[in-house]
Amino acid sequence: MPEAWWKERVFYQIYPRSFQNSNGDGIGDLRGIISRLDYLKSLGVGAVWLCPVYDSPNADMGYDIRDYEKIMAEFGTMEDFDELLREMHSRDIKLVMDLVVNHSSDEHRWFVESRSSRENPYRDYYIWRDGKDGREPNNWASFFTPSAWSYDEGTGQWYLHLFSEKQPDLNWENPSVREEVYSMINRWFDRGVDGFRMDVITVIAKAPGLPDGKGAPGAGGYVFSPEHFAFQPKLHEYLREMRRRCFDGRDCMCVGETSFVNTENANSLVGDGRELDLLFQFDLMDMDGEGSKWNAIPLDVPKLKRIVAAWQGAIDWNTLFLGNHDQPRVVSRFGDTSSEELWKRSAKCLATLMYLQRGTPFIYQGEELGMTNAPFETREQLRDVEELNLLALCSSEAELEWAWRGIKAKGRDNARTPMQWSAGKNADFTTGEPWIMLNPNYTDINAEAEEGDPDSILNYYRALIALRNSTPALLRGDWRELLPESGQVVAYTRGLDGEEYAVLCNLSRESAPLPCRLGDFGEPVLSNMPADPAAEALRPYEAQVLKKG
Ligand code: ISL
């Protein structure tokens, strides 16, 4: 039986605001994406995850949807969308939409109605409660602001928002809300889209009675309480219902952004194929934050290896990714940008160790060029609500200094600077004023320059994807850890029907000893440095893929 398409294709994540602008307004758009589809094809990509393109006031850059069935004006029109879909399909590229249904924008018609009076038929589309002693209904903290509640003067009640106050949570207990969501999803399917990435889908069900959180209080005394909003029993009921009502009978896929998932509960979502097809877990993305994501700590290779092995063992099919629009640039984070040579080598090493594992690769735009974190210096340069809220909470110089350190290392705007297409004006992203600053290194790091360099990161990604796409053992083979005791080398084999490949990646700045000669692992098929079969060590950030003879 042929495997599902979403297991065999490499995905590419597009953050439309920063991918390609076509009309000079400084904001990426759908026609811009159309003009770059041949680039994606040349990379070997078979599917795109498109970040939200729905009408939105952009309090959280499209993750606050005002109208689920309208395209954001800056991005274009529904005609442009249909053309994008046609152009992608004609190149055999699938399109997976990003969908945010834990919350909507406070400017969505439903919420405007909902807050207009307690009797309004839409009141119960959101989560409204009376306050307690003039304060919030409970002590929950939000992801972005101190409190997860905002007070509405007009109707004298509080509404819940796990994210910003402009992102009120939808009330999934209300069957009408679920009906609206399912019909909307079905209308997008009827338009021809191939699947959905469901934003923070694991928090849609909240604990009955919305009890106070018991953890340690953070800013403002509020308590971050995922035990009361993540993985609640009703979650599975809703996901199964959604699957039946929208996904069954279609050749489509559903990947969840499954915040708070762990290796124990993951199979409750993907184990029987009745809820989600794939999930995004964040153990690697969370491993370099001490207590808070803003406290950046250095890469710990043994920890990374434990996470990789645990997940390869936990579920049948993983998502494989090194970053996304919420994460800093991977080469700045886990690689080495201290010299041009190490920048290039470490970017290739990270890609090799990640994308040859068992699972579906998701490449984040610009990663294939080795794009790096941006040198933000002032508040005016920042655009992300999470970063701006963090700065707004600081009340001393020391706190500001800490916040800036965090923003530079981990801030989401790092991933959102424009794609670096060329060394020309504004990196060829726009002829106008870009909505967020360009990383000034675009004059050196850009697609055009890398196109012409056989040794570039871009051309290495092409070779890596082509190898994966054409090798059954790397697509469908089992995964086994190699050299578990090494503190520097991430290594594994992939095997199928007697064919076996070994992947060896030295993720450190020092030479790493091997227990035997490199050649004993097999014949080199792909590497970021010429292979020396007699070598008994890997050089810093050396990556080798070898085929057993
Ligand atoms: O980026 C984060 C904060 O550090 C994550 O915690 C993130 O908020 C979380 O993974 C949920 O992300 C998704 O939903 C958010 C949106 O801001 C993110 O862009 C999206 O990926 C709210 O819709």
Side-chain angles (χ1 to χ4, degrees):
M1 210 180 72
E3 285 284 5
W5 61 262
W6 44 268
K7 289 185 172 178
E8 305 268 279
R9 290 168 183 245
V10 170
F11 279 67
Y12 187 88
Q13 184 191 349
I14 293 183
Y15 193 72
R17 217 175 176 73
S18 303
F19 192 62
Q20 177 66 62
N21 175 225
S22 72
N23 64 359
D25 70 358
I27 297 173
D29 49 36
L30 300 181
R31 304 208 69 83
I33 300 176
I34 296 174
S35 73
R36 296 294 186 182
L37 289 176
D38 289 334
Y39 170 82
L40 296 187
K41 195 68 198 167
S42 81
L43 195 56
V45 160
V48 163
W49 152 19
L50 184 61
C51 283
V53 294
Y54 316 92
D55 174 48
S56 161
N58 287 308
D60 187 19
M61 298 305 164
Y63 286 87
D64 48 324
I65 300 175
R66 183 164 50 200
D67 186 336
Y68 289 94
E69 299 185 57
K70 209 168 135 197
I71 298 294
M72 194 188 299
E74 298 99 295
F75 289 175
T77 62
M78 199 53 98
E79 287 68 46
D80 296 331
F81 179 84
D82 288 337
E83 187 177 331
L84 172 65
L85 191 56
R86 263 196 319 274
E87 290 292 323
M88 287 181 58
H89 285 167
S90 75
R91 289 170 177 81
D92 191 27
I93 299 176
K94 306 269 190 189
L95 176 55
V96 168
M97 302 282 279
D98 203 327
L99 190 60
V100 190
V101 286
N102 172 68
H103 45 269
S104 72
S105 162
D106 66 336
E107 298 182 30
H108 193 290
R109 185 176 58 84
W110 300 336
F111 192 75
V112 174
E113 292 278 346
S114 184
R115 82 182 321 167
S116 69
S117 86
R118 293 199 191 193
E119 287 71 45
N120 189 282
Y122 287 93
R123 184 67 169 182
D124 201 31
Y125 270 45
Y126 295 86
I127 302 172
W128 291 96
R129 293 289 184 276
D130 290 328
K132 271 203 296 217
D133 311 323
R135 290 204 49 161
E136 290 86 349
N138 70 21
N139 67 0
W140 292 5
S142 104
F143 283 78
F144 289 164
T145 53
S147 169
W149 296 92
S150 284
Y151 186 66
D152 177 58
E153 291 283 347
T155 57
Q157 281 190 311
W158 301 75
Y159 66 89
L160 179 73
H161 54 85
L162 290 182
F163 293 87
S164 85
E165 69 282 0
K166 286 190 63 65
Q167 295 166 293
D169 281 50
L170 283 160
N171 177 15
W172 274 72
E173 278 192 25
N174 182 345
S176 310
V177 167
R178 305 206 299 275
E179 282 309 313
E180 300 257 21
V181 169
Y182 304 153
S183 357
M184 176 265 292
I185 291 178
N186 279 321
R187 283 190 291 275
W188 280 106
F189 273 137
D190 293 342
R191 250 201 140 82
V193 308
D194 301 294
F196 287 92
R197 176 260 185 196
M198 310 289 298
D199 192 66
V200 286
I201 200 65
T202 39
V203 306
I204 56 176
K206 277 76 180 176
L210 310 180
D212 276 336
K214 298 274 180 271
Y222 300 100
V223 176
F224 194 61
S225 312
E227 72 278 15
H228 295 318
F229 60 71
F231 276 88
Q232 300 303 303
K234 281 264 172 100
L235 168 68
H236 301 290
E237 193 182 300
Y238 299 152
L239 289 178
R240 274 162 206 264
E241 184 179 73
M242 182 170 74
R243 177 108 202 168
R244 277 197 312 277
R245 296 288 309 281
C246 308
F247 291 78
D248 276 356
R250 300 185 191 266
D251 184 21
C252 63
M253 67 90 72
C254 186
V255 53
E257 188 201 27
T258 51
S259 315
F260 310 102
V261 71
N262 57 46
T263 52
E264 262 86 67
N265 63 17
N267 276 310
S268 71
L269 297 171
V270 293
D272 66 0
R274 300 303 309 147
E275 295 188 16
L276 303 172
D277 295 306
L278 291 173
L279 58 81
F280 289 119
Q281 53 83 10
F282 293 97
D283 287 357
L284 285 179
M285 299 292 111
D286 294 341
M287 66 176 271
D288 62 345
E290 187 108 86
S292 142
K293 87 169 205 177
W294 304 113
N295 294 323
I297 51 172
L299 172 67
D300 175 345
V301 178
K303 189 161 154 194
L304 177 144
K305 290 176 59 153
R306 283 196 297 277
I307 293 172
V308 165
W311 277 99
Q312 286 290 311
I315 54 178
D316 180 54
W317 204 262
N318 275 277
T319 56
L320 310 172
F321 63 100
L322 294 162
N324 63 33
H325 66 292
D326 293 333
Q327 303 294 332
R329 290 285 175 181
V330 68
V331 69
S332 302
R333 183 182 200 178
F334 296 143
D336 190 330
T337 54
S338 64
S339 71
E340 190 185 335
E341 196 183 333
L342 289 179
W343 158 73
K344 220 184 229 192
R345 211 193 289 163
S346 62
K348 295 174 183 176
C349 178
L350 284 158
T352 312
L353 81 83
M354 180 55 66
Y355 298 131
L356 296 180
Q357 291 175 40
R358 184 174 162 88
T360 300
F362 285 78
I363 295 167
Y364 180 67
Q365 72 183 38
E367 176 198 316
E368 77 281 13
L369 305 176
M371 278 179 63
T372 63
N373 283 351
F376 296 112
E377 296 293 344
T378 66
R379 190 185 294 247
E380 290 64 46
Q381 290 169 330
L382 303 180
R383 298 288 178 270
D384 174 30
V385 58
E386 188 187 34
E387 294 165 359
L388 294 168
N389 283 350
L390 181 72
L391 289 180
L393 283 176
C394 294
S395 52
S396 67
E397 274 305 309
E399 274 175 22
L400 267 177
E401 212 174 285
W402 167 83
W404 266 105
R405 247 197 330 273
I407 288 169
K408 282 167 183 265
K410 304 291 275 301
R412 306 196 298 181
D413 279 334
N414 283 306
R416 302 178 182 184
T417 62
M419 261 298 269
Q420 296 170 196
W421 295 106
S422 83
K425 185 182 171 222
N426 291 334
D428 256 354
F429 163 69
T430 180
T431 55
E433 192 56 39
W435 72 278
I436 186 173
M437 76 176 219
L438 283 147
N439 190 323
N441 67 16
Y442 75 84
T443 47
D444 297 318
I445 302 179
N446 63 72
E448 197 175 82
E450 297 198 26
E451 189 74 47
D453 169 11
D455 188 40
S456 66
I457 298 172
L458 174 62
N459 282 318
Y460 187 84
Y461 265 72
R462 287 181 172 141
L464 179 67
I465 294 170
L467 176 68
R468 182 184 185 280
N469 285 349
S470 62
T471 310
L474 294 175
L475 284 172
R476 296 185 275 277
D478 66 2
W479 181 96
R480 280 170 213 274
E481 187 168 22
L482 272 180
L483 315 183
E485 68 292 340
S486 170
Q488 295 164 273
V489 182
V490 183
Y492 53 87
T493 59
R494 298 291 312 280
L496 181 76
D497 299 336
E499 209 171 80
E500 192 172 285
Y501 288 79
V503 179
L504 306 174
C505 301
N506 177 5
L507 197 52
S508 78
R509 291 186 175 86
E510 284 82 42
S511 152
L514 294 173
C516 56
R517 296 172 342 132
L518 182 66
D520 297 336
F521 290 97
E523 287 292 315
V525 292
L526 179 77
S527 63
N528 63 356
M529 304 179 80
D532 171 8
E536 290 184 23
L538 290 177
R539 292 157 284 187
Y541 297 105
E542 179 170 356
Q544 296 287 346
V545 184
L546 307 117
K547 185 178 182 198
K548 274 240 165 97

